Amino acid sequence: MPELPEVETVVRGLRAAVIGDTIESVWIGSRHQPLKSPAAEIVPALEGATIAAVRRMGKHIVIDLSIGDHPAAHFIVHLGMTGQLVVSRPEADTPKHTHLIAKLASGRELRFTDPRMFGKLAVTHEFDPGGIEPLDLTLEQFVPLFRRRKTPIKSALLNQQLLRGVGNIYADEALYRAGIRPRRRASSLTHAELQKLYQAVQQVLHEAIAAGGSSVSDYVGATGEPGFFQLQHRVYGREGERCLRCKTAVKRIVISGRSSHYCPKCQK
Ligand SMILES: [Zn+2]
């Protein structure tokens, strides 16, 4: 599933490719699962609009549209598990599971494909996904988010109403770097531990963005090429393998239905 760094990578690719381009026409497929707004709202909001900006909010891609010089709707794309938003030449084969094609004035096409259809497409005039951007917040804002939470720290990190965009992989990686067990109650963390965790979250996300996002499952970047350099996962997906620090076998447990990986020796 694309997480914050993957979405950021897609956003940066799109930004370089489509800003200033105008959407001439929009085709929407017959499958309605990915549509959070009805096709009858999406099509007129997009057609004739210029792409003024492409931003990331948590794991959402926010495309700011304008009509002439006037701000218009936001086109919101959530990639879900397998969604891809790709700029293609019109002659490129249309992949199966293409749900939206926006023809651009430059001659190219912005295509949304999603085999598993957990992705979401919407248009709106106001968008607030809740939570705070993990890369924008200070330590002083981070610490109180977790102070009174009785849930495991792993669940709190995944709570999108607290930090938006931190997903399973980077939560595991950050907890490993901070030396904190995923099952620890958030409220039991000391200030020093929260400080370490804050730094680890920032570090892991920045490194992953610099690496172009981890290439997991069906994820590809905005121009469609797979095979990004992958951030070396230190614990995620390494169940039974040796901890890179102390050689203890990495454990996997399930917390709130999600796999959590940790080193029983390095993480307290
Ligand atoms: Zn270890």
Side-chain angles (χ1 to χ4, degrees), residues 95-156:
K96 223 175 146 184
H97 311 294
T98 296
H99 303 292
L100 178 142
I101 299 175
K103 284 191 183 295
L104 303 174
S106 62
R108 297 164 306 162
E109 295 181 350
L110 185 60
R111 297 174 178 177
F112 178 73
T113 65
D114 188 3
R116 295 189 60 187
M117 293 193 286
F118 288 104
K120 294 270 177 276
L121 302 175
V123 289
T124 175
H125 283 273
E126 270 178 46
F127 183 64
D128 179 10
I132 307 177
E133 223 26 82
L135 292 177
D136 292 348
L137 91 176
T138 62
L139 176 64
E140 290 65 36
Q141 291 171 299
F142 182 86
V143 167
L145 294 179
F146 303 100
R147 269 287 156 78
R148 282 186 197 84
R149 306 239 151 220
K150 301 209 165 35
T151 55
I153 184 61
K154 172 70 184 283
S155 309

Side-chain angles (χ1 to χ4, degrees), residues 176 235 242-250 262-267:
Y176 174 76
V235 274
R242 305 248 158 245
C243 167
L244 300 174
R245 214 181 281 150
C246 76
K247 310 281 184 241
T248 304
V250 169
Y262 71 100
C263 170
K265 195 169 172 196
C266 294
Q267 291 174 256

